[in-house]
Amino acid sequence: MISILLPVRGENMHDNHPSLPEFKNVSLEDSYVLDIAVHPGLLTLKLDLLLLPRHPRYRAPLPGERACFRPATVVFSSVRALHWTGQSVVKAAIDASGSADYGSVDALITLDKDSYKILGDWGEIIVQSEAPSMSIDPSPTD
């Protein structure tokens, strides 16, 4: 069974919520990947995550902000196998403030009950693990 957890770029995010509650009302394809780390049994993606207005932690953008972004981490735990292609062409983009990012998560696809495919400018990762989880860092106003 193949099911898409997150849409590929261009699909309507509002009509394609993933089945996991913490992935609802966020837009990975409009977020920024700040880091990808692989350790024995663990894959983590550090994000500058775009929260959509229906997300419980959403707040209106402050002056000078274009949207509600929050630091977040996506974790794949109990990793049994991982294959990452396209790493050799990965180069961070540097914005005007000097911050680096690796693009976005274009898609997060469930291949079967414990296999996932993650796609982005940084390549393609196929991982066998427990279902991904996401934690959003608290803001100073939380």
Side-chain angles (χ1 to χ4, degrees):
M1 174 182 97
I2 296 177
S3 63
I4 295 179
L5 281 178
L6 295 169
V8 294
R9 191 175 299 282
E11 289 185 19
N12 184 343
M13 180 64 187
H14 303 286
D15 296 333
N16 294 295
H17 297 294
S19 59
L20 301 169
E22 59 262 46
F23 286 87
K24 289 187 178 178
N25 296 309
V26 301
S27 176
L28 286 184
E29 70 272 14
D30 294 313
S31 300
Y32 298 96
V33 176
L34 305 178
D35 188 41
I36 301 171
V38 178
H39 298 280
L42 190 67
L43 167 66
T44 59
L45 287 82
K46 296 284 187 181
L47 306 173
D48 196 8
L49 180 69
L50 176 67
L51 301 183
L52 299 174
R54 289 187 176 175
H55 193 280
R57 309 234 343 242
Y58 176 87
R59 62 153 173 77
L62 298 173
E65 295 179 334
R66 64 178 182 87
C68 181
F69 286 92
R70 297 284 289 282
T73 305
V74 175
V75 175
F76 293 82
S77 59
S78 300
V79 171
R80 292 174 293 291
L82 185 140
H83 183 74
W84 185 353
T85 58
Q87 293 182 67
S88 63
V89 297
V90 175
K91 294 199 184 348
I94 309 297
D95 67 16
S97 72
S99 298
D101 73 74
Y102 296 96
S104 63
V105 175
D106 294 333
L108 175 54
I109 303 166
T110 302
L111 301 175
D112 61 42
K113 69 178 180 128
D114 67 349
S115 295
Y116 306 90
K117 181 188 288 190
I118 313 139
L119 304 166
D121 293 340
W122 34 265
E124 173 183 296
I125 298 172
I126 297 176
V127 60
Q128 290 180 336
S129 70
E130 300 211 355
S133 64
M134 182 173 9
S135 61
I136 300 171
D137 293 359
S139 73
T141 59
D142 282 352

